[in-house]
Amino acid sequence: MKLAISVIALALVAAGIALAAAPAKAAKGTSEVIEKVVKTDEEWKKILTPEQFNVLRKEGTERAFTSPLNHNHEKGVYVCAACGLTLFSSDTKFDSGTGWPSFWAPIDPSHVTTKSDRSFFMDRTEVRCARCGGHLGHVFPDGPKPTGLRYCMNGVSLKFEPAK
Ligand code: FE
């Protein structure tokens, strides 16, 4: 009897280890499997500028009206400055007047994740890159049609790739 219990206990432990070791590949309900990029702060510091590190890894906010991407109207895509995942298309970019690059939709809903953010006495929804978890900005419900959403992004979190 004791042996049987021991065997069952061992099997449960093994199953638990197997589950814990399985990588989290995609958020629930998304259309695409996104392979995660996981790095330590020290590793990120080697590939990001101090400004990029502060925003992407420490949830900082760039000063309004400082991003050269604010007035970029070229055709192309905006990718994560940390991991290169495509995040936004120039087709959904609009001038919000806020001082930060703004979009009314991500290029693919599975390429960003959102989470409630109640810091600084505000009730906001934070937006992150689905691959590296980098902080991008926030999404607000006061955007233009067709979605009515305003993805208010830090330009420093994005890199623009012109259409070929
Ligand atoms: Fe990323």
Side-chain angles (χ1 to χ4, degrees):
M1 187 59 188
K2 264 192 178 168
L3 181 66
I5 291 170
S6 302
V7 168
I8 290 168
L10 267 177
L12 285 174
V13 168
I17 290 167
L19 271 179
K25 281 188 177 168
K28 272 182 196 165
T30 55
S31 59
E32 195 182 328
V33 173
I34 304 280
E35 291 285 344
K36 302 283 184 193
V37 170
V38 180
K39 294 185 195 292
T40 64
D41 277 359
E42 289 314 304
E43 288 170 326
W44 282 122
K45 275 181 186 169
K46 286 181 190 154
I47 55 175
L48 299 175
T49 66
E51 291 77 19
Q52 287 172 331
F53 181 81
N54 179 46
V55 173
L56 283 154
R57 308 312 310 177
K58 298 295 162 191
E59 291 89 50
T61 300
E62 75 187 7
R63 277 195 305 123
F65 301 102
T66 57
S67 173
L69 296 179
N70 274 335
H71 299 294
N72 181 32
H73 298 292
E74 271 186 76
K75 283 264 179 211
V77 293
Y78 295 81
V79 306
C80 175
C83 77
L85 183 66
T86 53
L87 298 172
F88 297 95
S89 159
S90 57
D91 295 342
T92 63
K93 193 172 188 289
F94 69 99
D95 277 324
S96 63
T98 58
W100 291 283
S102 302
F103 306 84
W104 49 260
I107 203 160
D108 185 309
S110 69
H111 288 204
V112 296
T113 60
T114 54
K115 188 177 127 224
S116 172
D117 173 6
R118 291 171 187 268
S119 63
F120 302 108
F121 305 103
M122 289 182 275
D123 193 358
R124 298 178 295 174
T125 302
E126 186 198 6
V127 181
R128 287 180 178 268
C129 169
R131 181 150 72 189
C132 70
H135 172 81
L136 304 171
H138 292 86
V139 58
F140 300 93
D142 56 9
K145 288 178 179 178
T147 61
L149 297 174
R150 171 170 59 94
Y151 285 80
C152 185
M153 300 291 100
N154 289 284
V156 78
S157 298
L158 304 172
K159 264 188 208 159
F160 178 68
E161 293 183 351
K164 282 161 197 140

